[in-house]
Amino acid sequence: MEEQELAIEVRADGTITATTPADNRRQRERLSPFTGPDAELIKLFERWIARRDHVWQDRDLRAFGSLLHRYLFPGTMWSWVENRLPGLPHPARVALIFPPDPPFARLAAVPWEYLHRPGNDGYYLATDSRLVLSRYLRRAATRADLTPVDRPRIQIVVSRPKTSQLKDVVFDDVEEAVRATEQHGFAVLETLHDPGVDQLFRAIEERQPHVVHYMGHGEFRQEQAEGRLALVDSYGDVDWVSDRELAEHMRRLSRVPRMLVLHSCDGARADFTESFAGLAPQLLRSGLHCVIAMQYAVTNSTATAFSVELYRQLAARVPPDRAVQAARMHIGGRTGADPRLLGIPVTYLHGRPERLFPEEA
């Protein structure tokens, strides 16, 4: 964990530890089971956030974020964290680490990007200038440094199964925005439309992109603690592929992409019933270094604005977690923006974030 300035880790037994790896100082508390009153309220807020007919105010999100904060930082945990912040680099990377197995695996799908420090002087952790919030996967062994890349290759994937169960995926504007990154030093490959799982990974094996940018549908099944991605079968219908199956295909590649971007566009309105939140952890274990996911479906204009800023930052060799932070502020600061937008982008890391696209020495 030497890459992070502050790690917040939940263990399988419910122990939560805050650690500053540089000096190995730590604070330990115990989480209540995710079945108590606070957990039920969090689940209720999660259902409310999915309602399209509810106009959210910032005070609503502050209440939700404060509830998340109370659950994740029991006892004296947060006061210990705040006392450590002045001595950390600016901005400090804050890594949230959750266990892969029940009973606390469910926490990986909670939208922690809405964490809000309670009180009159409260703030959202995801937008505070002192912090860069990301999710991190603990690994058993240190990986070798990534080799320098002159022109990172981006593979766009658009999945639009023929089914009335899913809304159409609006992708043209985002595709155009991603292609515009060629002027910033990226190489954008031919778009892959409506692939099946075998076709998708055959294309990745042949083209060996550094980044795969998926536009389509995803979901997280809470009962099974399983994320799924909507691909297309041989009849053009939806083929829901589980995170574990995707990870198995990823592990068979001779060269795994460095980054995966996941989002769903639904035209004019955001859809908070879809989620990529639970999909990323399993994929990171397959060898990816970074997954950037939009936790819920967003409007076409939001996805375009986010992509433009994200790739602009990455082209400048900004680390991916900080690139997402800049893109988050960009979409959240637009006039009339839905306050929920601040919590939609989420970054999952598995390795040194600043070395995703290193330049030649």
Side-chain angles (χ1 to χ4, degrees):
M1 287 298 297
E2 70 278 5
E3 305 88 351
Q4 307 298 336
E5 284 83 26
L6 176 62
I8 309 295
E9 180 171 10
V10 178
R11 300 279 186 169
D13 63 357
T15 301
I16 182 168
T17 305
T19 308
T20 49
D23 56 13
N24 203 32
R25 294 193 179 185
R26 64 185 60 206
Q27 175 78 359
R28 183 177 285 108
E29 299 282 355
R30 180 168 292 277
L31 288 181
S32 59
F34 202 64
T35 54
D38 277 0
E40 292 306 313
L41 280 173
I42 289 172
K43 294 173 186 176
L44 178 62
F45 265 105
E46 285 182 301
R47 292 194 294 271
W48 282 354
I49 214 169
R51 288 181 54 184
R52 288 186 168 203
D53 58 345
H54 182 73
V55 179
W56 279 70
Q57 304 295 327
D58 185 61
R59 63 176 179 270
D60 301 328
L61 286 180
R62 288 199 302 269
F64 178 40
S66 298
L67 179 61
L68 292 175
H69 192 281
R70 185 171 72 188
Y71 179 80
L72 192 62
F73 297 105
T76 60
M77 177 71 73
W78 182 248
S79 61
W80 184 91
V81 169
E82 283 206 311
N83 287 335
R84 300 293 299 157
L85 286 180
L88 298 178
H90 181 87
R93 285 196 172 100
V94 179
L96 302 181
I97 309 169
F98 300 106
D101 302 312
F104 289 97
R106 164 71 172 82
L107 297 182
V110 173
W112 299 107
E113 286 64 32
Y114 293 108
L115 275 167
H116 184 273
R117 180 193 179 281
N120 294 330
D121 56 348
Y123 52 86
Y124 293 103
L125 273 62
T127 57
D128 189 88
S129 61
R130 299 172 300 168
L131 308 173
V132 177
L133 188 68
S134 61
R135 307 192 190 200
Y136 201 92
L137 182 69
R138 179 173 289 281
R139 63 184 187 278
T142 302
R143 291 180 175 178
D145 290 344
L146 293 169
T147 56
V149 178
D150 181 34
R151 285 178 61 82
R153 296 183 295 275
I154 302 175
Q155 176 64 69
I156 301 173
V157 179
V158 179
S159 182
R160 305 169 73 193
K162 298 175 183 177
T163 174
S164 59
Q165 299 174 0
L166 298 174
K167 302 175 184 68
D168 193 18
V169 176
V170 181
F171 67 92
D172 294 14
D173 289 345
V174 179
E175 181 183 27
E176 182 180 345
V178 176
R179 292 206 170 279
T181 63
E182 292 189 331
Q183 64 183 311
H184 298 302
F186 286 90
V188 183
L189 306 173
E190 181 181 354
T191 299
L192 187 62
H193 287 276
D194 303 329
V197 64
D198 291 333
Q199 181 189 0
L200 171 62
F201 284 96
R202 188 163 54 248
I204 294 175
E205 179 65 42
E206 293 172 355
R207 301 176 184 183
Q208 295 196 342
H210 300 95
V211 179
V212 175
H213 190 125
Y214 169 89
M215 289 181 271
H217 295 275
E219 68 174 11
F220 182 75
R221 299 199 296 176
Q222 296 184 6
E223 295 78 12
Q224 294 84 0
E226 174 187 79
R228 303 198 303 174
L229 206 63
L231 295 177
V232 180
D233 66 16
S234 58
Y235 299 99
D237 295 326
V238 63
D239 179 19
W240 286 106
V241 184
S242 73
D243 51 9
R244 287 172 176 79
E245 184 177 351
L246 289 166
E248 183 58 36
H249 279 277
M250 197 77 73
R251 279 190 284 268
R252 295 174 190 163
L253 295 171
S254 61
R255 181 177 295 176
V256 176
R258 300 184 183 187
M259 187 171 80
L260 175 63
V261 181
L262 298 167
H263 82 253
S264 181
C265 285
D266 183 27
R269 299 191 67 180
D271 186 350
F272 290 83
T273 61
E274 293 212 29
S275 179
F276 290 111
L279 191 65
Q282 192 68 239
L283 294 178
L284 279 179
R285 293 183 182 91
S286 69
L288 287 159
H289 286 257
C290 175
V291 177
I292 296 172
M294 304 297 267
Q295 297 194 73
Y296 309 106
V298 294
T299 66
N300 197 34
S301 63
T302 296
T304 301
F306 179 84
S307 298
V308 167
E309 184 63 20
L310 172 68
Y311 286 109
R312 189 183 74 82
Q313 295 285 333
L314 291 175
R317 295 311 198 260
V318 173
D321 54 348
R322 297 185 183 180
V324 170
Q325 182 88 333
R328 181 198 312 279
M329 302 295 286
H330 181 64
I331 62 173
R334 295 184 303 164
T335 302
D338 187 324
R340 289 176 290 185
L341 291 179
L342 71 90
I344 291 181
V346 55
T347 311
Y348 294 82
L349 297 171
H350 191 178
R352 295 182 177 92
E354 67 274 14
R355 299 178 186 177
L356 193 62
F357 299 123
E359 295 181 284
E360 295 283 358

